[in-house]
Every structure is written in structure tokens, then in C-alpha cells.
Amino acid sequence: MKDIGIVICNFNKIDYLKGCLKTLFESSFKNYSYDVIVVDNASEDGSPEFIKEKYPEITLLENEINTGGSGGFDRGIRYCIDKKYEYVCLLDNDILLERNTIINLVEYIKLNPNVGVVGSKICTMDNPEILQEMGSFIDFENKFNVVTPLKSHRDDDSLPDIVVCDYVPACCLVTTNEVLNKVGSFNTEHFIYWDDMDWCTRIKRAGYEVHAINNSRVFHKMGAANHSNTFGLYYFERNRILFFLKYLNDEKLNKFSDGISDWLVSLTFFSNLKGNYATPKSFLCAIDDLLLGNLGRQDSSIFVKEQEESIFKKYNLEKDNKIAIYMQNDMFSNRRVYEYIKESYQEITICCDELNLELIESNFEEEIILFEKSVEIDYERLFFVQKHILDDYNELYIDPRCIFIDQYINTSSFKDIENLKTAFENFKAISENIYKPVLKRKLKLIKENK
């Protein structure tokens, strides 16, 4: 039997699959033998035919229906367990590997038997110097969500060699036959999202550590979610709730339920402001599907999003206007806003305070200026980046040209921000008294029925 089983899950991404396979077969495996297994989720773009013609040495497992990433990886993992590969590597189909990506993972886990799964550093394919993630965490105490400290940071010498973490994504990871025999495969109820987080949590609870390493890198397209519909939100939020209801004890359930309720209130309020009614509707469908036991693939709970008004039209901005962005210390919010505005404006002035200057300079190629100097520039608008639009702000950095903006592209002008906060508090008060108790009751029933 060969040493490594490499599993790729594919659905209708033949163009990305071609790049993935090309870089895979150009990789170094030293003296390790390996098999490549592609699990195809009933693709209709010619993927199975391409593999049969161009890569006859690949083991092709064809599903009759689309079982999602969860079902695809589950079938591949069970195949590898049956074939008794010493090491099993999971790969997304929309990645490009470097020559030593996989072998560095294999040799690391071989030398560290306390590690149950090791993952690569993941950079974005469209911006190779920027991290998608490198070792991520799950907050079981307050946020009840994923925490990715290095997301959107530049791939440079400041990164650690190893991150001991809570999970690594199935984008590119290696585990062992020993671990799989103890822990098992992916939970197919997820369809997509939170399946690798659940699996890594089971690995940790079996006594192993989860690591991400710097000397193994892949480039990821991140193309799974269609932002024109609620696909990503529905499966991410449904499976997030499923995950925490599975692992939280009764003492934390009330705090978690409060957090979900607060998130729904915020999501509904700001989606309504933007005319996006599909998003909160899909979230509510996720709750109902969990209550009814409708897991796996649920096409009827996915809605097409309404077209939102451009913020540039909203604030009467022209293409030739001078635009400035004031950045703070949350790199994900900074980059999200930067990339959104960059789609319409090539010339952007980036400013920050002295405390965050080194951080911002290390992550953006443009010249960064201190805010005190930016006030001398005759810009039309200053976009003030926040994690959330309702966060407190330092009035020293605000002037009438300011537009508050967050990672969700919620916006408010300086003159409207206090009215917005008041309107939100009124909406929240209504929800606290009417909707929140009902939602908490549903979450309790879902946990009891699991």
C-alpha cells in the first residue's frame, strides 16, 4: 500500500481543478508513494471526463448527487481508511500548491506524533502576498464564532513558524491513519462549512493537537460562496449554530442564545436599511431547518439577494473625487473596505493614527500618512473604518466629510450616525421583548432534540 492518500473534492470547477492537479503532480514527494483520489459531486462541466482522459492514474469516485464538501470529503476519507494509507491529505479543488506544500506537512506530522492534523498557510490566489488564514481558533466563551487572527495580514517574516490552534481548514491539511481510526470522518449533515471545524474539535478532544505551519503554503481562490445569493450565509450560520449547540454545556447555552439573538437583530436592522431582505429571511430559515431536522443540502432556504444601492451613489460621489480611508487595527475590516472602494477608485489616500502606522504600512503598498497630515488634503470624503458601524469612535478623527463604514459595508454619514444608533436601539428594544424569547426557545428545543 502507498504512503499517502490525497483527496480532492470537486464540483463544477474544472478550470480550477486543472490548476490544482497540475501543481499537485509537479510537487515533491521525496521517497513517499502516493495515490490521488478525486471525489466528484455530480459535476456537469466535464470534470469527470477530463480526469479520465488526462489523468487515468487518478482514482475517480463519482457521486450521483452533489453531497457538498462534507459528503465529498467523507467519501474520500472513508476510502482512505479502507485502503490504510499512513497519511491522508485533504485538498480543495480551487488551490495552487507549491513544490513542497504537501511533503512539508507529511514530514511535520511524522516528527510530531502529538499532532493530529497539520494545515498549510493559506494565501489568497488573487493577492498572493495576503493571508486568508494560518491557524484559526474557535471562541467558546464570548463571540461563539471563528477567530482568525492572521486573516488579511501580509505574508512576511513577522509570521510565526507554527501556530497551535483549534482548527485548520480542509483547503490543505494532512492527518494520519491512526487519527482517522480514532476520530472518524466528516459529519455529512453540514453539507458545507463548519465540517472541518467539527472534525478538528473531535481530534482535539481525542487528545491531539492541531497545528498550522509557515513552511507549507497554498494559494486559495475562495470561490465557494456566491455573493448574489444567501448560500454562504445560510450554511455558515446554520452549521455554526449546530456546532455550538453540540459542544456547549447548559451553563453557556443562555449566553450563546443571547449572542445569536443579538446577531439576528443587527443583521435584520442593517439588511433592511440596504433593502436586502433575503439575508435575514435565510437566517430564519436556518433556525427553522435546525428545528425540523432539515440538514444537509437545503436549496429552498437559499434566496437571491436584492440589489443594494451603491454607497458611492448614496453619497453622490463622482469617479474623479479624492477619497481617503482612515484605518484602525482590525486588518480584516481594513482590507475589506479597501478592496470594496478600490473597485471604483484607483487613487486612494490611506491614513491612520501613529499607534497603528507600523501595522498599516506593513500591509499596504501605498504611502500611509498620519491623520493629522490628511486633514490638509482636499478630499471629498473620508471613509472611517470600524469593525461595526455602531462602534464608538474618537471624535478627534471625525469631520463633516466622514463616512463611517464597516466590514459588512454598512455606512453612515457623520451627521446621521447618532440618529442611526437611536433607531437601532429602538428596534433592539422591540426585538428583546418579542422575538428574542421565541428564538431562545427554538434554540433550546433544537439542542434537546439533537
Side-chain angles (χ1 to χ4, degrees):
M1 178 49 58
K2 295 182 180 178
D3 301 311
I4 310 169
I6 302 171
V7 179
I8 302 172
C9 181
N10 179 66
F11 175 64
N12 283 341
K13 284 190 176 179
I14 185 171
D15 290 335
Y16 291 123
L17 180 64
K18 289 177 180 179
C20 176
L21 291 176
K22 182 178 184 296
T23 57
L24 173 59
F25 282 102
E26 291 173 350
S27 297
S28 168
F29 289 92
K30 296 186 178 179
N31 295 323
Y32 290 88
S33 58
Y34 66 95
D35 285 326
V36 178
I37 303 100
V38 174
V39 183
D40 188 82
N41 270 324
S43 293
E44 298 175 345
D45 66 347
S47 292
E49 292 77 15
F50 165 76
I51 293 170
K52 292 172 185 176
E53 179 183 352
K54 299 295 184 181
Y55 295 96
E57 67 272 34
I58 287 178
T59 299
L60 178 62
L61 306 179
E62 296 184 73
N63 288 331
E64 294 182 357
I65 61 172
N66 180 12
T67 60
S70 306
F73 280 125
D74 171 65
R75 186 175 181 187
I77 288 171
R78 286 188 288 107
Y79 177 90
C80 290
I81 292 173
D82 183 60
K83 294 295 182 179
K84 296 182 173 58
Y85 294 104
E86 183 65 26
Y87 305 100
V88 175
C89 174
L90 303 185
L91 301 177
D92 275 346
N93 57 355
D94 55 350
I95 63 169
L96 299 175
L97 300 107
E98 295 184 318
R99 179 171 171 79
N100 294 318
T101 296
I102 295 177
I103 192 62
N104 285 351
L105 294 175
V106 170
E107 293 188 334
Y108 183 87
I109 204 167
K110 182 179 181 179
L111 291 172
N112 296 277
N114 60 310
V115 177
V117 57
V118 58
S120 298
K121 171 175 63 180
I122 305 169
C123 293
T124 63
M125 193 180 295
D126 294 331
N127 198 346
E129 295 183 350
I130 301 303
L131 290 186
Q132 177 187 330
E133 59 183 283
M134 178 185 161
S136 296
F137 300 86
I138 301 172
D139 187 344
F140 286 91
E141 302 295 332
N142 296 301
K143 294 181 178 179
F144 303 104
N145 210 331
V146 179
V147 179
T148 51
L150 296 175
K151 187 179 183 71
S152 295
H153 280 261
R154 189 175 292 278
D155 182 13
D156 57 26
D157 294 339
S158 68
L159 296 177
D161 293 331
I162 300 165
V163 178
V164 180
C165 52
D166 289 333
Y167 89 94
V168 289
C171 174
C172 184
L173 61 80
V174 167
T175 188
T176 66
N177 178 268
E178 174 189 297
V179 171
L180 292 176
N181 279 307
K182 285 185 179 180
V183 175
S185 186
F186 277 25
N187 183 348
T188 59
E189 291 182 333
H190 291 81
F191 186 71
I192 190 171
Y193 302 141
W194 285 88
D195 43 7
D196 41 10
M197 302 168 201
D198 173 75
W199 183 68
C200 286
T201 300
R202 286 187 276 132
I203 289 173
K204 287 192 68 175
R205 295 194 174 202
Y208 297 96
E209 293 182 0
V210 178
H211 289 191
I213 59 174
N214 196 350
N215 71 341
S216 172
R217 179 169 63 171
V218 294
F219 304 96
H220 188 209
K221 182 60 180 175
M222 300 175 63
N226 182 349
H227 296 293
S228 65
N229 64 37
T230 62
F231 179 95
L233 173 125
Y234 171 79
Y235 287 109
F236 186 89
E237 294 299 337
R238 185 196 71 179
N239 295 334
R240 176 168 76 102
I241 295 169
L242 180 68
F243 175 91
F244 283 106
L245 290 181
K246 175 181 178 180
Y247 289 109
L248 290 178
N249 57 36
D250 291 339
E251 292 180 3
K252 293 181 180 177
L253 180 60
N254 191 58
K255 186 175 182 180
F256 171 69
S257 299
D258 285 339
I260 292 295
S261 299
D262 291 343
W263 168 242
L264 177 58
V265 169
S266 180
L267 180 71
T268 302
F269 179 83
F270 287 101
S271 294
N272 181 68
L273 282 183
K274 295 186 284 190
N276 174 10
Y277 312 114
T279 297
K281 285 194 298 185
S282 198
F283 187 98
L284 290 171
C285 285
I287 300 293
D288 286 348
D289 285 339
L290 286 169
L291 188 61
L292 295 169
N294 295 335
L295 300 175
R297 180 177 176 177
Q298 296 296 328
D299 292 345
S300 63
S301 296
I302 312 301
F303 304 111
V304 175
K305 292 181 182 179
E306 296 82 1
Q307 185 68 40
E308 297 179 8
E309 181 184 22
S310 164
I311 65 169
F312 308 111
K313 182 179 179 181
K314 179 179 178 181
Y315 295 107
N316 299 314
L317 293 173
E318 303 293 339
K319 289 288 186 180
D320 58 351
N321 288 152
K322 289 185 178 180
I323 300 298
I325 303 177
Y326 176 81
M327 296 185 176
Q328 302 193 74
N329 62 359
D330 181 63
M331 281 308 306
F332 179 71
S333 298
N334 289 338
R335 193 164 295 281
R336 174 77 176 92
V337 171
Y338 171 83
E339 291 175 353
Y340 179 85
I341 295 176
K342 195 73 173 176
E343 291 178 1
S344 299
Y345 292 90
Q346 293 304 308
E347 297 296 327
I348 300 173
T349 299
I350 300 178
C351 58
C352 64
D353 61 22
E354 191 167 0
L355 182 65
N356 294 312
L357 181 61
E358 183 177 352
L359 172 67
I360 306 303
E361 284 183 331
S362 67
N363 279 281
F364 292 91
E365 295 180 355
E366 289 90 344
E367 180 185 1
I368 314 299
I369 63 175
L370 291 174
F371 179 79
E372 299 87 79
K373 293 184 179 180
S374 73
V375 296
E376 302 171 3
I377 300 174
D378 185 26
Y379 53 79
E380 186 71 22
R381 289 288 189 177
L382 168 69
F383 286 93
F384 189 95
V385 182
Q386 297 176 286
K387 283 187 178 181
H388 194 277
I389 196 74
L390 299 180
D391 290 344
D392 292 333
Y393 56 89
N394 189 337
E395 294 187 5
L396 292 175
Y397 297 112
I398 304 301
D399 70 28
R401 296 172 292 180
C402 176
I403 297 174
F404 295 97
I405 186 168
D406 64 20
Q407 59 184 282
Y408 310 103
I409 315 301
N410 297 316
T411 61
S412 173
S413 65
F414 175 62
K415 67 182 181 63
D416 292 332
I417 188 66
E418 294 305 323
N419 290 336
L420 179 68
K421 291 183 176 183
T422 299
F424 177 77
E425 290 302 321
N426 291 337
F427 180 76
K428 184 178 180 180
I430 295 171
S431 300
E432 287 273 348
N433 296 323
I434 300 174
Y435 303 119
K436 190 171 186 176
V438 176
L439 180 58
K440 293 181 71 172
R441 177 175 178 270
K442 285 185 176 182
L443 293 174
K444 183 178 180 181
L445 288 171
I446 292 167
K447 184 173 177 62
E448 290 174 350
N449 292 336
K450 287 298 293 177

